[in-house]
Amino acid sequence: MDASLPWLDALKWDENGLIPAIAQETATGRVVMFAWMNREALQETVTTGNAVYWSRSRRRLWRKGEESGHFQKVASVRTDCDGDVILLSITQEGGIACHTGRESCFFNELREERWAAVEPVLKDPREIYKK
């Protein structure tokens, strides 16, 4: 990574102008989410202190918590040695990062060659997303 470049230019964006982003809970170190960011999302994240991602399915910026109220307050932004992955240290408001109503999106575990949900739903998604 070329640290002499402006910070956004120093990153390695994919052919679609995206970079993978991992959200990790500051207090516990637990990875709660993976998403994509474009330049605008990363710039807004740094400017506002709230996590903003690029939604590939919606094809627009996704301000985490805009519908659910489960915002992510960003404590720090890091990149790996190659400059091709972003790591956000966040505080997850409401304790729910996943649209399924769980603490983390990483709740499926491989058990005997099958995926099993190993963490509880903390809040029914129908109560979170009332639209």
Side-chain angles (χ1 to χ4, degrees):
M1 188 169 89
D2 187 346
S4 67
L5 292 172
W7 70 276
L8 281 170
D9 295 337
L11 297 172
K12 292 182 184 169
W13 304 91
D14 74 7
E15 63 278 358
N16 297 311
L18 301 175
I19 193 166
I22 300 164
Q24 182 179 37
E25 179 63 52
T26 302
T28 64
R30 181 164 190 209
V31 173
V32 295
M33 211 179 85
F34 166 85
W36 295 93
M37 293 180 134
N38 63 8
R39 292 172 75 94
E40 186 180 357
L42 184 53
Q43 178 67 65
E44 187 174 325
T45 296
V46 169
T47 301
T48 65
N50 292 310
V52 178
Y53 302 102
W54 175 256
S55 172
R56 296 183 303 165
S57 60
R58 299 174 197 159
R59 304 200 51 75
R60 66 170 179 82
L61 288 180
W62 162 38
R63 291 164 181 89
K64 179 68 174 152
E66 65 190 354
E67 293 177 27
S68 67
H70 299 139
F71 297 95
Q72 292 177 342
K73 298 292 183 186
V74 178
S76 71
V77 179
R78 294 180 180 223
T79 188
D80 69 329
C81 56
D82 296 321
D84 61 2
V85 177
I86 297 295
L87 177 64
L88 301 177
S89 178
I90 59 100
T91 298
Q92 180 64 59
E93 291 189 359
I96 296 174
C98 188
H99 74 281
T100 65
R102 291 177 171 89
E103 177 185 6
S104 170
C105 294
F106 296 93
F107 60 86
N108 288 306
E109 184 174 87
L110 187 60
R111 293 189 174 176
E112 298 178 13
E113 298 186 19
R114 296 212 189 288
W115 292 107
V118 297
E119 295 184 9
V121 172
L122 302 177
K123 188 169 186 180
D124 186 325
R126 292 174 294 200
E127 295 176 30
I128 297 171
Y129 305 99
K130 297 181 180 182
K131 289 184 180 181

